């Protein structure tokens, strides 16, 4: 008992017992939480009969316990620090060589060593821990106050293997932590970007609305021929700008809120919503013929504005890819228990490999122009999915058809 008290007193004379957050807190928490390190320390004690084992973080002037198993009653716990000059680990760090003695009284090198005498250390093992890149981390230590045969070759091999295992594990944990921090940072940056885009889209709506109102006013005024030629181009550009803003905002809201949400109502005014979209396209592109054929012969439970937005996106896509002078057709009907809205245009067929990624965000075909962000078809598909529906694409006999299909939802 007196020996325990003396050892504890000696350690406390050379220790800085810290409370709160340690500057090596990350290392302490990593090793303290590691099941592998705990198992290694327990195995070391069982295999050597040593009654104290620890992993320590060692620098040029620091010795900090990161994980300990103490049956000698040294009183060292995670985060406790001892003056580096009071340990054998300074030599281990400087030479990268292990320190071992089974009985200090008979050991030629460490007999009468002041550190062993001060702390009552009789048997001791300290093995350097290196990361895989060769940098020094600290030591794997085992200590007892009675003789233990720690210089036996099998014991030494085991201790070296465990030190190497801890070194590799440290690097793996550090890489995982770094990756987790990177993922967290990227998620936060993505959230900030989505919020910025949503705010930007919202703020752009007012000037676009003002321009649309100005064009409507100009339509009522007598204009020269040149102005009458320019106005349709301006109207088409504003329509696409408005369409782009709507898509950006809906995509940002979907990302921030976990997906596109719909508000389905019984007997939704779907036909009126689609007619309005077609009229807007006709106004924006007066030279583009758009044929409309709707036959909804029963009430439809859906979110009509959202479905109309999907149709608008499909129409915008069709206007960009329709063959010059050929009409675009929009059809709508109810087939058994499914609503189908088709948007078809003649033009170049979509390659099969492009069809595989057509509805992913920010995906555009190989022949796409500089217009658009590749969100329109993604938003349309997301709206269909929100209705438990889908969009199917067919290219046949020079005609490409996007079929927006959704089930007749229960009323």
């Amino acid at each position: 008992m007196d020996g325990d008290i003396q050892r504890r007193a000696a350690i406390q004379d050379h220790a800085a017992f810290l409370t709160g957050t340690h500057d090596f807190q990350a290392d302490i928490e990593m090793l303290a939480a590691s099941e592998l390190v705990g198992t290694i320390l327990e195995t070391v004690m069982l295999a050597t009969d040593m009654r104290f084992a620890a992993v320590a973080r060692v620098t040029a002037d620091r010795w900090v316990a990161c994980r300990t198993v103490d049956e000698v009653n040294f009183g060292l716990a995670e985060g406790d620090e001892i003056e580096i000059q009071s340990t054998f680990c300074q030599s281990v760090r400087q030479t990268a060589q292990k320190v071992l003695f089974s009985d200090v009284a008979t050991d030629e090198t460490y007999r009468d060593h002041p550190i062993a005498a001060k702390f009552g250390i009789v048997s001791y093992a300290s093995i350097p821990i290196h990361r895989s890149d060769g940098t020094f981390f600290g030591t794997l230590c085992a200590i007892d106050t009675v003789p233990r045969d720690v210089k036996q070759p099998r014991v030494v091999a085991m201790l070296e293997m465990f030190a190497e295992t801890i070194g590799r594990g440290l690097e793996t944990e550090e890489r995982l932590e770094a990756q987790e921090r990177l993922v967290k940072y990227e998620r936060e940056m993505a959230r900030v970007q989505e919020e910025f885009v949503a705010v930007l889209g919202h703020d752009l709506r007012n000037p676009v609305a003002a321009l649309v109102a100005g064009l409507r006013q100009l339509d009522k005024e007598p204009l020269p021929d040149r102005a009458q030629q320019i106005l349709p181009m301006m109207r088409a550009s504003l329509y696409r700008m408005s369409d782009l803003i709507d898509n950006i905002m809906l995509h940002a809201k979907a990302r921030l809120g976990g997906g596109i949400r719909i508000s389905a109502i019984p007997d939704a005014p779907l036909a009126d919503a689609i007619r309005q979209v077609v009229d807007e396209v006709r106004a924006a592109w007066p030279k583009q013929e758009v044929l409309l054929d709707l036959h909804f012969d029963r009430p439809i439970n859906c979110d009509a504005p959202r479905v109309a937005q999907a149709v608008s996106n499909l129409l915008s896509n069709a206007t960009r890819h329709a063959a010059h002078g050929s009409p675009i057709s929009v059809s709508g009907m109810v087939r058994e228990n499914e609503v189908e809205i088709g948007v078809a245009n003649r033009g170049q067929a979509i390659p099969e490999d492009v069809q595989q990624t057509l509805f992913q965000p920010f995906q555009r075909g190989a022949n796409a122009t500089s217009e658009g962000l590749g969100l329109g078809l993604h938003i349309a598909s997301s709206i269909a999915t929100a209705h438990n529906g889908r969009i199917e694409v067919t290219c046949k006999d020079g005609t490409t058809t996007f079929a927006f299909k959704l089930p007749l939802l229960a009323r």
Side-chain angles (χ1 to χ4, degrees):
M1 182 63 70
D2 290 341
D4 290 345
I5 295 174
Q6 291 175 357
R7 280 190 296 273
R8 286 180 60 85
I11 290 173
Q12 290 173 357
D13 286 342
H14 294 268
F17 295 102
L18 305 177
T19 58
T21 301
H22 199 286
D23 55 352
F24 287 134
Q25 193 67 28
D27 295 328
I28 295 169
E29 290 179 356
M30 184 195 327
L31 291 167
S34 172
E35 292 184 6
L36 173 63
V37 173
T39 301
I40 286 175
L41 294 182
E42 294 287 352
T43 304
V44 166
M45 294 175 69
L46 287 171
T48 63
D49 278 339
M50 306 285 262
R51 293 176 295 162
F52 178 90
V55 174
R57 182 76 166 91
V58 181
T59 66
D61 57 358
R62 309 281 295 278
W63 186 100
V64 180
C66 293
R67 182 75 177 265
T68 64
V69 181
D70 185 1
E71 295 179 1
V72 182
N73 200 24
F74 275 124
L76 285 176
E78 290 83 2
D80 290 344
E81 183 171 341
I82 297 178
E83 293 177 2
I84 188 67
Q85 296 84 0
S86 302
T87 73
F88 292 104
C89 294
Q90 186 178 42
S91 172
V92 175
R93 179 184 177 278
Q94 291 172 345
T95 65
Q97 298 296 319
K98 55 187 173 289
V99 172
L100 297 166
F101 53 86
S102 299
D103 187 347
V104 72
T106 59
D107 191 269
E108 294 181 0
T109 303
Y110 295 99
R111 184 173 53 221
D112 300 324
H113 197 286
I115 293 176
K118 189 169 190 65
F119 296 112
I121 297 173
V122 175
S123 51
Y124 182 85
S126 182
I127 311 297
I129 297 173
H130 293 91
R131 296 182 177 89
S132 59
D133 63 359
T135 58
F136 182 82
F137 174 85
T139 58
L140 169 63
C141 302
I143 305 172
D144 209 323
T145 58
V146 296
R148 304 294 186 192
D149 189 6
V150 295
K151 299 183 75 172
Q152 183 182 356
R154 289 185 178 179
V155 172
V156 174
M158 177 196 70
L159 292 173
E160 290 177 336
M161 179 191 69
F162 283 156
E164 183 180 354
T165 301
I166 292 172
R168 289 198 305 267
L170 280 170
E171 190 161 359
T172 300
E173 291 288 342
E174 288 168 352
R175 284 201 302 266
L176 288 174
E177 286 188 1
Q179 187 65 31
E180 288 174 359
R181 287 194 299 270
L182 178 60
V183 169
K184 183 178 180 180
Y185 171 78
E186 290 178 345
R187 285 175 178 170
E188 179 62 19
M189 288 301 299
R191 184 189 65 80
V192 171
Q193 290 169 359
E194 298 291 356
E195 289 181 352
F196 171 78
V197 168
V199 172
L200 178 64
H202 182 271
D203 289 347
L204 285 174
R205 277 184 165 178
N206 288 337
V208 169
L211 288 171
V212 170
L215 285 179
R216 287 175 180 167
Q217 184 62 36
L218 288 175
D219 277 338
K220 300 176 183 179
E221 304 292 333
L223 297 172
D225 292 342
R226 180 58 178 163
Q228 290 179 2
Q229 294 174 358
I230 293 174
L231 278 181
M233 292 186 290
M234 293 178 63
R235 190 179 296 109
S237 295
L238 281 175
Y239 180 85
R240 283 188 173 167
M241 188 181 298
S242 179
D243 190 45
L244 182 61
I245 291 170
D246 288 342
N247 285 334
I248 287 175
M249 288 193 65
L250 187 56
H251 180 67
K253 289 179 179 178
R255 295 267 297 179
L256 291 170
I260 291 179
R261 299 178 182 179
I262 63 170
S263 298
I265 60 172
D267 199 7
L270 181 57
D272 292 341
I274 294 175
R275 287 192 189 98
Q276 180 179 346
V277 166
V278 171
D279 288 343
E280 290 174 353
V281 172
R282 286 169 173 167
W285 290 279
K287 294 183 180 181
Q288 174 63 63
E289 183 180 6
V290 181
L291 307 176
L292 180 62
D293 185 22
L294 301 178
H295 296 283
F296 299 136
D297 56 2
R298 71 190 75 174
I300 298 173
N301 188 0
C302 70
D303 186 332
R306 282 284 177 257
V307 175
Q309 183 177 1
V311 174
S312 176
N313 289 349
L314 296 176
L315 264 172
S316 293
N317 181 72
T319 60
R320 288 194 292 271
H321 299 286
H324 180 70
S326 64
I328 297 171
S329 64
V330 179
S331 61
M333 64 190 70
V334 178
R335 299 179 183 273
E336 297 181 355
N337 293 321
E338 189 173 62
V339 179
E340 180 176 328
I341 303 165
V343 177
N345 65 273
R346 295 192 62 79
Q348 186 175 356
I350 303 172
E352 289 189 8
D353 60 327
V354 175
Q355 291 185 33
Q356 302 301 317
T357 61
L358 200 57
F359 297 107
Q360 295 178 10
F362 309 112
Q363 295 292 320
R364 301 160 69 226
N367 298 322
T369 66
S370 60
E371 296 178 353
L373 292 176
L375 276 177
L377 294 180
H378 170 67
I379 295 296
S381 177
S382 298
I383 291 171
T385 300
H387 282 84
N388 295 320
R390 65 199 184 281
I391 296 180
E392 297 177 353
V393 185
T394 57
C395 298
K396 186 177 181 181
D397 299 330
T399 297
T400 297
T401 302
F402 286 80
F404 183 104
K405 299 182 179 182
L406 62 154
L408 287 174
L409 303 179
R411 300 185 62 179

